[in-house]
Amino acid sequence: KQEVTQIPAALSVPEGENLVLNCSFTDSAIYNLQWFRQDPGKGLTSLLLIQSSQREQTSGRLNASLDKSSGRSTLYIAASQPGDSATYLCAVSGGGADGLTFGKGTHLIIQP
Amino acid sequence: DTAVSQTPKYLVTQMGNDKSIKCEQNLGHDTMYWYKQDSKKFLKIMFSYNNKELIINETVPNRFSPKSPDKAHLNLHINSLELGDSAVYFCASSQVTYGYTFGSGTRLTVV
Protein backbone atom coordinates (compact mmCIF):
# COMPACT_ATOMS: atom_id res chain seq x y z
CA LYS A 1 0.00 0.00 0.00
CA GLN A 2 1.37 3.39 -1.01
CA GLU A 3 2.28 5.76 1.80
CA VAL A 4 3.33 9.38 1.36
CA THR A 5 5.30 11.30 3.98
CA GLN A 6 5.95 15.03 4.01
CA ILE A 7 8.69 16.72 6.00
CA PRO A 8 8.59 19.11 7.75
CA ALA A 9 5.03 19.09 9.05
CA ALA A 10 5.28 22.82 9.69
CA LEU A 11 7.68 25.57 8.69
CA SER A 12 7.89 29.26 9.55
CA VAL A 13 10.45 31.46 7.79
CA PRO A 14 11.00 35.18 7.14
CA GLU A 15 9.98 36.64 3.84
CA GLY A 16 12.53 36.39 1.04
CA GLU A 17 14.05 33.06 1.99
CA ASN A 18 14.37 30.16 -0.40
CA LEU A 19 12.94 26.96 1.01
CA VAL A 20 12.54 23.28 0.28
CA LEU A 21 9.62 21.02 1.12
CA ASN A 22 10.19 17.29 1.06
CA CYS A 23 7.96 14.40 0.03
CA SER A 24 8.71 10.68 0.06
CA PHE A 25 6.65 7.72 -1.09
CA THR A 26 7.05 4.00 -0.39
CA ASP A 27 6.11 2.48 -3.76
CA SER A 28 8.19 3.82 -6.66
CA ALA A 29 5.73 2.44 -9.25
CA ILE A 30 3.93 5.76 -9.65
CA TYR A 31 2.36 7.25 -12.75
CA ASN A 32 2.79 10.85 -11.70
CA LEU A 33 3.22 13.14 -8.70
CA GLN A 34 1.32 16.35 -8.08
CA TRP A 35 1.91 19.23 -5.67
CA PHE A 36 -1.05 21.23 -4.39
CA ARG A 37 -1.54 24.16 -2.06
CA GLN A 38 -4.51 24.54 0.23
CA ASP A 39 -5.42 27.83 1.85
CA PRO A 40 -7.42 27.71 5.12
CA GLY A 41 -11.03 26.76 4.46
CA LYS A 42 -10.43 26.49 0.73
CA GLY A 43 -10.04 23.81 -1.90
CA LEU A 44 -6.89 22.40 -3.48
CA THR A 45 -5.00 24.37 -6.09
CA SER A 46 -2.70 22.38 -8.34
CA LEU A 47 0.83 23.77 -8.45
CA LEU A 48 2.90 21.31 -10.45
CA LEU A 49 2.39 17.92 -12.07
CA ILE A 50 5.41 15.69 -12.73
CA GLN A 51 5.00 12.61 -14.89
CA SER A 52 6.99 9.55 -13.85
CA SER A 53 9.31 9.96 -16.85
CA GLN A 54 10.18 13.54 -15.90
CA ARG A 55 12.79 14.81 -13.45
CA GLU A 56 11.42 18.26 -12.71
CA GLN A 57 8.82 20.89 -13.48
CA THR A 58 8.96 24.64 -13.00
CA SER A 59 6.31 27.31 -12.66
CA GLY A 60 7.39 30.80 -11.75
CA ARG A 61 9.14 30.71 -8.39
CA LEU A 62 8.28 27.05 -7.89
CA ASN A 63 10.37 24.08 -8.94
CA ALA A 64 9.51 20.48 -8.22
CA SER A 65 11.88 17.58 -8.70
CA LEU A 66 11.19 13.87 -8.82
CA ASP A 67 13.54 10.98 -8.10
CA LYS A 68 11.26 8.05 -8.74
CA SER A 69 13.80 5.33 -7.98
CA SER A 70 14.47 6.68 -4.49
CA GLY A 71 10.82 7.60 -3.89
CA ARG A 72 11.43 11.30 -3.32
CA SER A 73 10.24 14.67 -4.52
CA THR A 74 11.10 18.18 -3.42
CA LEU A 75 9.26 21.44 -3.91
CA TYR A 76 11.57 24.45 -4.04
CA ILE A 77 10.10 27.89 -3.43
CA ALA A 78 12.33 30.81 -4.34
CA ALA A 79 12.15 34.24 -2.73
CA SER A 80 9.23 33.36 -0.48
CA GLN A 81 6.41 35.87 0.05
CA PRO A 82 3.69 36.15 2.71
CA GLY A 83 1.16 35.12 0.04
CA ASP A 84 2.91 31.74 -0.14
CA SER A 85 1.58 30.92 3.34
CA ALA A 86 -0.60 27.82 3.00
CA THR A 87 -0.53 24.06 3.43
CA TYR A 88 1.39 22.28 0.69
CA LEU A 89 0.29 18.78 -0.21
CA CYS A 90 2.19 16.13 -2.13
CA ALA A 91 0.20 13.35 -3.82
CA VAL A 92 1.10 10.38 -6.02
CA SER A 93 -0.96 8.46 -8.53
CA GLY A 94 -0.55 4.84 -9.55
CA GLY A 95 -2.26 5.55 -12.87
CA GLY A 96 -5.66 4.65 -14.26
CA ALA A 97 -8.49 5.35 -11.82
CA ASP A 98 -6.42 4.63 -8.71
CA GLY A 99 -6.84 8.09 -7.38
CA LEU A 100 -4.24 10.07 -5.49
CA THR A 101 -2.51 9.10 -2.25
CA PHE A 102 -1.79 12.22 -0.22
CA GLY A 103 0.77 13.14 2.38
CA LYS A 104 -0.34 14.98 5.49
CA GLY A 105 1.04 18.26 4.19
CA THR A 106 3.52 20.94 5.21
CA HIS A 107 1.97 23.96 6.90
CA LEU A 108 4.02 26.93 5.71
CA ILE A 109 4.04 30.39 7.26
CA ILE A 110 6.01 33.21 5.65
CA GLN A 111 6.60 36.04 8.11
CA PRO A 112 6.44 39.57 6.65
CA ASP B 1 -15.95 28.78 -15.95
CA THR B 2 -15.47 26.59 -12.89
CA ALA B 3 -13.80 23.33 -13.90
CA VAL B 4 -15.10 21.18 -11.01
CA SER B 5 -18.05 22.58 -9.10
CA GLN B 6 -19.77 21.06 -6.12
CA THR B 7 -22.83 22.10 -4.16
CA PRO B 8 -23.63 22.96 -1.51
CA LYS B 9 -20.54 24.63 -0.07
CA TYR B 10 -21.80 24.23 3.48
CA LEU B 11 -24.23 21.65 4.86
CA VAL B 12 -25.44 21.51 8.45
CA THR B 13 -27.82 18.71 9.31
CA GLN B 14 -29.03 16.58 12.18
CA MET B 15 -27.99 13.03 12.95
CA GLY B 16 -30.05 10.44 11.15
CA ASN B 17 -30.87 12.62 8.15
CA ASP B 18 -30.11 11.73 4.53
CA LYS B 19 -28.25 14.27 2.38
CA SER B 20 -26.69 14.57 -1.05
CA ILE B 21 -23.75 16.52 -2.42
CA LYS B 22 -23.60 17.25 -6.12
CA CYS B 23 -20.53 17.50 -8.33
CA GLU B 24 -20.10 18.48 -11.96
CA GLN B 25 -16.99 18.80 -14.13
CA ASN B 26 -16.74 20.54 -17.50
CA LEU B 27 -13.21 19.34 -18.34
CA GLY B 28 -14.22 16.26 -20.28
CA HIS B 29 -12.25 14.07 -17.87
CA ASP B 30 -12.95 10.34 -17.84
CA THR B 31 -12.70 9.73 -14.11
CA MET B 32 -14.29 11.45 -11.11
CA TYR B 33 -13.63 10.97 -7.41
CA TRP B 34 -14.85 11.75 -3.94
CA TYR B 35 -12.31 12.49 -1.21
CA LYS B 36 -12.84 13.07 2.50
CA GLN B 37 -10.70 15.49 4.51
CA ASP B 38 -10.97 14.75 8.20
CA SER B 39 -10.49 17.05 11.18
CA LYS B 40 -6.72 16.53 11.00
CA LYS B 41 -6.81 17.74 7.39
CA PHE B 42 -5.81 14.35 5.97
CA LEU B 43 -7.24 13.62 2.52
CA LYS B 44 -8.36 10.11 1.70
CA ILE B 45 -10.08 8.73 -1.37
CA MET B 46 -13.60 7.39 -0.97
CA PHE B 47 -14.73 6.50 -4.49
CA SER B 48 -13.81 6.86 -8.11
CA TYR B 49 -15.98 6.51 -11.20
CA ASN B 50 -14.61 5.80 -14.67
CA ASN B 51 -17.10 5.98 -17.51
CA LYS B 52 -19.92 5.49 -15.02
CA GLU B 53 -18.35 2.39 -13.50
CA LEU B 54 -17.29 2.26 -9.87
CA ILE B 55 -13.59 1.52 -9.72
CA ILE B 56 -12.61 1.98 -6.08
CA ASN B 57 -14.56 1.77 -2.89
CA GLU B 58 -12.17 2.28 0.02
CA THR B 59 -13.62 0.79 3.23
CA VAL B 60 -16.36 3.38 3.22
CA PRO B 61 -19.56 2.60 5.12
CA ASN B 62 -22.38 1.54 2.84
CA ARG B 63 -24.36 4.54 4.08
CA PHE B 64 -22.34 6.42 1.47
CA SER B 65 -23.35 5.82 -2.11
CA PRO B 66 -21.94 7.54 -5.20
CA LYS B 67 -24.26 8.05 -8.13
CA SER B 68 -23.12 9.08 -11.60
CA PRO B 69 -25.87 9.92 -14.11
CA ASP B 70 -23.27 10.70 -16.77
CA LYS B 71 -19.55 11.22 -17.27
CA ALA B 72 -19.70 14.85 -16.13
CA HIS B 73 -21.52 14.27 -12.83
CA LEU B 74 -20.76 12.32 -9.68
CA ASN B 75 -23.07 12.86 -6.73
CA LEU B 76 -22.58 11.58 -3.20
CA HIS B 77 -25.57 10.43 -1.21
CA ILE B 78 -25.26 9.80 2.51
CA ASN B 79 -27.90 7.95 4.54
CA SER B 80 -28.45 8.07 8.30
CA LEU B 81 -25.81 10.70 8.96
CA GLU B 82 -23.61 10.28 12.04
CA LEU B 83 -21.54 12.75 14.02
CA GLY B 84 -18.36 11.13 12.67
CA ASP B 85 -19.36 11.99 9.12
CA SER B 86 -18.58 15.63 9.80
CA ALA B 87 -15.74 16.55 7.46
CA VAL B 88 -14.96 18.36 4.25
CA TYR B 89 -15.80 16.37 1.13
CA PHE B 90 -13.99 17.12 -2.11
CA CYS B 91 -14.96 16.12 -5.59
CA ALA B 92 -12.20 15.74 -8.20
CA SER B 93 -11.73 14.69 -11.79
CA SER B 94 -8.75 13.44 -13.75
CA GLN B 95 -7.57 12.50 -17.19
CA VAL B 96 -4.43 10.52 -17.97
CA THR B 97 -1.40 12.88 -18.20
CA TYR B 98 -3.39 15.92 -17.10
CA GLY B 99 -3.42 15.30 -13.38
CA TYR B 100 -6.26 15.98 -10.99
CA THR B 101 -8.55 18.98 -10.57
CA PHE B 102 -10.44 19.45 -7.32
CA GLY B 103 -13.64 21.24 -6.44
CA SER B 104 -13.78 23.79 -3.65
CA GLY B 105 -15.19 21.34 -1.11
CA THR B 106 -18.38 20.83 0.89
CA ARG B 107 -18.11 21.31 4.63
CA LEU B 108 -20.56 18.87 6.24
CA THR B 109 -21.45 19.37 9.89
CA VAL B 110 -23.65 16.81 11.61
CA VAL B 111 -25.23 17.99 14.87
Side-chain angles (χ1 to χ4, degrees), chain A residues 34-104:
Chain A
Q34 199 163 356
W35 283 92
F36 297 87
R37 71 174 277 170
Q38 185 175 27
D39 294 281
K42 303 292 185 182
L44 279 69
T45 301
S46 180
L47 298 173
L48 291 163
L49 170 69
I50 310 178
Q51 303 295 344
S52 62
S53 59
Q54 297 175 323
R55 299 285 292 182
E56 67 176 350
Q57 284 287 334
T58 298
S59 176
R61 294 181 295 107
L62 305 180
N63 175 277
S65 67
L66 174 64
D67 184 341
K68 185 181 163 186
S69 60
S70 67
R72 296 183 181 189
S73 176
T74 61
L75 179 66
Y76 176 81
I77 303 176
S80 58
Q81 303 171 357
D84 294 331
S85 298
T87 296
Y88 289 78
L89 295 162
C90 171
V92 297
S93 169
D98 283 4
L100 288 169
T101 301
F102 281 87
K104 294 186 177 181

Side-chain angles (χ1 to χ4, degrees), chain B residues 9-77:
Chain B
K9 189 173 178 63
Y10 300 97
L11 185 53
V12 180
T13 187
Q14 291 186 328
M15 285 176 55
N17 284 352
D18 302 340
K19 291 294 179 184
S20 292
I21 306 172
K22 295 185 176 181
C23 179
E24 176 181 3
Q25 56 101 359
N26 62 5
L27 298 168
H29 287 174
D30 285 334
T31 309
M32 296 183 71
Y33 309 82
W34 279 104
Y35 284 81
K36 179 180 180 180
Q37 188 170 44
D38 60 26
S39 58
K40 296 185 178 180
K41 309 298 183 186
F42 186 54
L43 274 156
K44 190 171 181 181
I45 189 169
M46 299 176 70
F47 303 104
S48 72
Y49 254 77
N50 182 286
N51 291 325
K52 297 198 290 182
E53 181 182 355
L54 179 66
I55 302 297
I56 299 174
N57 184 339
E58 288 280 325
T59 61
V60 173
N62 57 15
R63 297 182 295 103
F64 291 78
S65 55
K67 297 193 190 304
S68 180
D70 55 57
K71 196 172 95 165
H73 297 84
L74 181 64
N75 303 323
L76 182 64
H77 189 75

Side-chain angles (χ1 to χ4, degrees), chain A residues 5-20:
Chain A
T5 302
Q6 291 188 244
I7 295 173
L11 184 61
S12 180
V13 299
E15 179 178 7
E17 284 200 6
N18 302 324
L19 48 97
V20 175

